[in-house]
Amino acid sequence: GRMLPMLVMVALLLTGCGDPYLSALQPKGTVAGMQYDLIKLSVTIMLGVFTVVVVIFTYVLIRYRKRKGDNSIPEQIEGNHKLEIIWTVIPFILLIVLAIPMVSTTFTLAKDYSNDKDAIQVKVTGHQFWWEFEYPDLKINTAQELYIPVNKKAYLSLEAADVIHSFWVPALGGKKDTNPGMTNHMWLESTVEGTFQGRCAELCGPSHALMDFKVKVVSQEEFDKWVVEMTKGENAPAENKAVAVQGEEVFKQSCVSCHAVDGNGGKIGPDLTNFGNRQTVAGVLPNDKKHVAEWLKDPESVKPGNLMPNLKLNDDQVDALVEYLSSLKRQ
Ligand code: CUA
């Protein structure tokens, strides 16, 4: 009776409760595709073995059940060479069938693309509780949204700034731990354009479950445009220029020691160069003025345990800062 709800639970967890872009069972990339093939193969073999065992078990239960007035013991099979060979050889063959694609996929996924000119190099750093994405060849440092071109390999070098995190984009592949003091590697390649949800998959503190990020898979032209915007682009005109200028002052007083814009500023918090273009604030709230204000007024209530202090800003300062941050829109 417990099996079915358990299976439903597992299925829901694997499919991410129906979100098509948070599902390892609906792969959208090369790596996720290979991993999905392995899942299918091993589940098929497991179901086959399970079915055979249940059928034999049921047959034996009925065939050799206790009958009234019959106290004889059925024929014993201990030492039966034929049977022993059969139940040794079959699992051996099944393990070989599993092992060959498993080992070959493992080697494919472990390939080193660090010197591949066609691969985008990205250094990924896990922080409590946000993700830093650095493109060393393109001189870009950004956060929370990883841009990659479609049908192109992204070779990721994964590190952590504080504790162990784990980088996982279910629809594209994964996952790989980010550890302080060492560098892990993995590659991803998406075969479709779109926005994919990423998660931290290693318990890392009070806001582990809120350590989300996005992967933006765009066409090569869009990617090139993004690179130009990030490196040479200018901010879009602010909706309310006078207020945005006040906000910039607040930013220079209170924020710049931890946050960079245009490559200027501290490195403790996420780089905010293209903050206005991002879908979320702090990875979890929709990026609109109301929610940016909510975050600035009390970061702790949004993401418990995060390093952003409550700056105790008054409403005018918050409004000005919101205007300024929203204006950090690259074009
Ligand atoms: Cu970072 Cu869990």
Side-chain angles (χ1 to χ4, degrees), residues 15-297:
T15 55
C17 304
D19 182 346
Y21 295 124
L22 190 62
S23 171
L25 302 182
Q26 286 163 296
K28 304 286 181 209
T30 316
V31 172
M34 286 188 277
Q35 291 171 334
Y36 182 53
D37 287 344
L38 291 180
I39 294 173
K40 277 192 292 189
L41 178 68
S42 53
V43 169
T44 307
I45 291 177
M46 277 190 283
L47 283 178
V49 171
F50 180 76
T51 309
V52 170
V53 169
V54 167
V55 166
I56 295 176
F57 178 72
T58 313
Y59 171 76
V60 169
L61 270 187
I62 297 169
R63 173 75 178 77
Y64 298 103
R65 68 188 184 279
K66 172 102 177 140
R67 290 184 174 90
K68 228 178 212 160
D70 178 5
N71 283 325
S72 66
I73 293 172
E75 188 197 343
Q76 298 300 291
I77 52 153
E78 197 185 335
N80 186 322
H81 283 173
K82 204 167 129 195
L83 279 176
E84 285 185 0
I85 287 170
I86 290 175
W87 70 51
T88 306
V89 167
I90 292 177
F92 184 76
I93 292 171
L94 291 180
L95 286 180
I96 296 288
V97 168
L98 258 180
I100 290 171
M102 203 74 84
V103 170
S104 109
T105 305
T106 303
F107 278 97
T108 308
L109 295 188
K111 271 188 190 151
D112 182 344
Y113 291 104
S114 56
N115 291 317
D116 188 326
K117 283 189 185 64
D118 285 331
I120 302 284
Q121 306 293 327
V122 188
K123 190 183 150 199
V124 176
T125 309
H127 296 257
Q128 281 175 317
F129 301 92
W130 58 281
W131 295 92
E132 179 182 357
F133 303 117
E134 206 181 328
Y135 300 70
D137 303 334
L138 305 170
K139 308 266 179 283
I140 292 174
N141 187 311
T142 186
Q144 301 298 61
E145 288 181 4
L146 171 66
Y147 279 76
I148 53 172
V150 69
N151 292 322
K152 205 162 182 184
K153 287 187 183 70
Y155 190 65
L156 312 180
S157 304
L158 302 136
E159 289 173 20
D162 33 45
V163 299
I164 301 175
H165 305 274
S166 187
F167 179 93
W168 193 24
V169 193
L172 298 184
K175 54 194 182 285
K176 198 79 139 195
D177 280 5
T178 69
N179 300 324
M182 68 180 279
T183 308
N184 286 338
H185 297 279
M186 67 183 278
W187 61 274
L188 292 176
E189 181 184 41
S190 180
T191 47
V192 290
E193 292 175 28
T195 301
F196 301 94
Q197 187 70 36
R199 287 272 154 92
C200 177
E202 177 67 50
L203 186 61
C204 57
S207 286
H208 153 69
L210 303 173
M211 196 170 154
D212 290 3
F213 63 98
K214 304 237 183 303
V215 179
K216 301 263 187 182
V217 181
V218 295
S219 66
Q220 184 66 47
E221 296 93 60
E222 255 181 277
F223 183 78
D224 295 338
K225 199 173 139 245
W226 177 79
V227 170
V228 172
E229 281 170 9
M230 290 297 286
T231 48
K232 302 187 188 76
E234 299 204 344
N235 291 330
E239 276 173 41
N240 191 334
K241 185 125 195 281
V243 181
V245 169
Q246 287 171 26
E248 190 173 3
E249 285 310 309
V250 179
F251 188 88
K252 281 178 182 160
Q253 283 161 25
S254 307
C255 316
V256 86
S257 53
C258 297
H259 292 283
V261 269
D262 295 329
N264 302 310
K267 293 246 172 243
I268 297 167
D271 187 293
L272 299 174
T273 301
N274 62 340
F275 178 81
N277 299 104
R278 292 183 197 159
Q279 252 176 283
T280 62
V281 50
V284 284
L285 297 176
N287 188 4
D288 53 42
K289 290 184 180 175
K290 184 179 140 234
H291 287 100
V292 178
E294 182 185 332
W295 167 252
L296 292 172
K297 280 181 189 157

